Amino acid sequence: MLAAMDAPLFLVPELVRRLWGGDTLPALLGVTPPPGDEPVAEAWLAYAGSVVAGGPHAGDTLQALAEAHGAQLLGAAAVARSGARVPLLAKLLDAGLELSVQVHPGDAYALRHHRESGHVGKTESWLVLHAEPDAEIVWGLARPAGVEEVRAAIRDGTLDELLRRVPVRPGDAVHNPAGTVHAVGAGSMIYELQQASDLTYRLWDHGRVGADGRPRELHLAHGLAVADLSAGGSPHPSPAYRPDGWITRATCPYYRLDETHVRSRLAAETDGEAMHVLTVLDGTPVLAWSGGRATLSAGRTAVLPAALGAYALEGSGHVVRGVPR
């Protein structure tokens, strides 16, 4: 008999090494990094392959539970959109070096060109947690340009002259719809919420080489086919203050990214339509639900099943919440 979806699922973070990493995540999360020579750059907090840390579902992955419980875990809206598929990926990025300049496709392009991969398109949102005084991101172009002009700039190493660079500071939210040319700059730590997809087209990588000593692959045909080269829009979505005490920092057809600073007690509820993905960024708030209580430390992530119902955060802490739509 399947154990009910009546309690939070506390997840084990998964660390990932990349050549651009900053290497502060293992200490922050209290997790031993995987073997390898490159620095630790990412912590995957919640995704299909995340493993449950304890309780009746200990050792199970989110995807296995999604297939077993469907809407009880994911919510009716998520199942109606994409079936028994975990729809979100939440992670921390620690950028010691600037990331590659990249772009992601939308759903239609992903389905047309990468159907066999199982990946959908990729829209993502960032919340800047730490930024050095000179930290910046790439977001779109500084002026409109044509595909051939961009291709030529990549070829001759002058793409940087076309890129729009935006200073960032802690607390900034950034939204990257599919098609946005973007990059995280050096000296930033970022919480990222995204569609559950790993389709990335690299447009430029600053001439760096990979572990094999060769330049890393670029994906110009696909990348320039989907890139928005109009130089329009703003990277910073306007915050929306919700009546339940949360602030929506970014929203799109796929998810909502909420943030709150708990100072005493904050009541909330999963309404059956969607699961909630909670991550503590600072402090040690207590998560309370009808069946129990748990103190959460920085970096700890819990998935609250859509069937959970009422819950509350007590004490103090900085918390973010991802809600699929």
Side-chain angles (χ1 to χ4, degrees), residues 203-221:
L203 298 177
W204 176 245
D205 197 32
H206 318 286
R208 293 184 294 209
V209 298
D212 60 0
R214 303 178 64 179
R216 296 206 295 169
E217 181 183 5
L218 301 181
H219 314 99
L220 300 190

Side-chain angles (χ1 to χ4, degrees), residues 103 109 113 147 151 154 201-203 218-227:
V103 65
Y109 192 91
H113 294 276
V147 169
R151 191 190 307 275
I154 294 169
Y201 304 142
R202 193 181 296 125
L203 298 177
L218 301 181
H219 314 99
L220 300 190
H222 286 312
L224 292 176
V226 303

Side-chain angles (χ1 to χ4, degrees), residues 28-55:
L28 174 68
L29 300 175
V31 177
T32 301
D37 297 326
E38 294 180 335
V40 174
E42 303 181 3
W44 289 36
L45 304 174
Y47 78 111
S50 290
V51 175
V52 179

Side-chain angles (χ1 to χ4, degrees), residues 65-104:
L65 293 174
E67 292 169 5
H69 294 273
Q72 291 291 301
L73 171 59
L74 303 176
V79 170
R81 174 186 285 276
S82 53
R85 179 181 185 274
V86 177
L88 299 180
L89 192 161
K91 62 171 72 170
L92 293 174
L93 305 179
D94 181 19
L97 300 174
E98 185 171 21
L99 276 66
S100 61
V101 178
Q102 54 192 239
V103 65
H104 308 300

Side-chain angles (χ1 to χ4, degrees), residues 103-321:
V103 65
H104 308 300
D107 289 348
Y109 192 91
L111 183 62
R112 188 161 63 248
H113 294 276
H114 305 285
R115 181 186 294 269
E116 73 290 345
S117 74
H119 289 297
V120 293
K122 186 175 175 181
T123 286
E124 62 188 26
S125 300
W126 302 335
L127 186 64
V128 180
L129 308 181
H130 168 79
E132 296 297 325
D134 58 349
E136 60 185 12
I137 61 169
V138 167
W139 199 89
L141 300 188
R143 61 170 177 82
V147 169
E148 291 310 315
E149 181 182 7
V150 174
R151 191 190 307 275
I154 294 169
R155 185 174 59 246
D156 62 22
T158 61
L159 179 64
D160 197 61
E161 299 174 9
L162 291 175
L163 299 176
R164 178 183 178 185
R165 293 190 173 270
V166 179
V168 291
R169 59 185 181 180
D172 284 350
V174 177
H175 184 58
N176 300 316
T180 304
V181 176
H182 65 279
V184 177
S188 296
M189 181 176 289
I190 285 174
Y191 171 86
E192 177 177 290
L193 184 70
Q194 61 164 87
Q195 288 179 267
S197 175
D198 203 27
L199 288 178
T200 297
Y201 304 142
R202 193 181 296 125
L203 298 177
W204 176 245
D205 197 32
H206 318 286
R208 293 184 294 209
V209 298
D212 60 0
R214 303 178 64 179
R216 296 206 295 169
E217 181 183 5
L218 301 181
H219 314 99
L220 300 190
H222 286 312
L224 292 176
V226 303
D228 179 357
L229 306 179
S230 68
S234 168
H236 302 305
S238 298
Y241 294 83
R242 297 174 52 83
D244 60 1
W246 294 80
I247 303 171
T248 294
R249 302 303 309 273
T251 187
C252 66
Y254 307 103
Y255 58 78
R256 192 181 77 233
L257 172 58
D258 298 334
E259 176 186 28
T260 192
H261 290 269
V262 183
R263 292 180 173 86
S264 178
R265 186 178 190 275
L266 183 67
E269 182 180 11
T270 59
D271 58 6
E273 288 297 303
M275 66 181 186
H276 292 181
V277 180
L278 298 186
T279 297
V280 175
L281 302 177
D282 191 28
T284 54
V286 172
L287 173 63
W289 67 100
S290 63
R293 299 166 60 84
T295 300
L296 306 181
S297 55
R300 195 167 189 190
T301 295
V303 168
L304 309 187
L308 179 69
Y311 67 92
L313 292 167
E314 302 172 353
S316 63
H318 183 193
V319 183
V320 288
R321 177 175 72 179

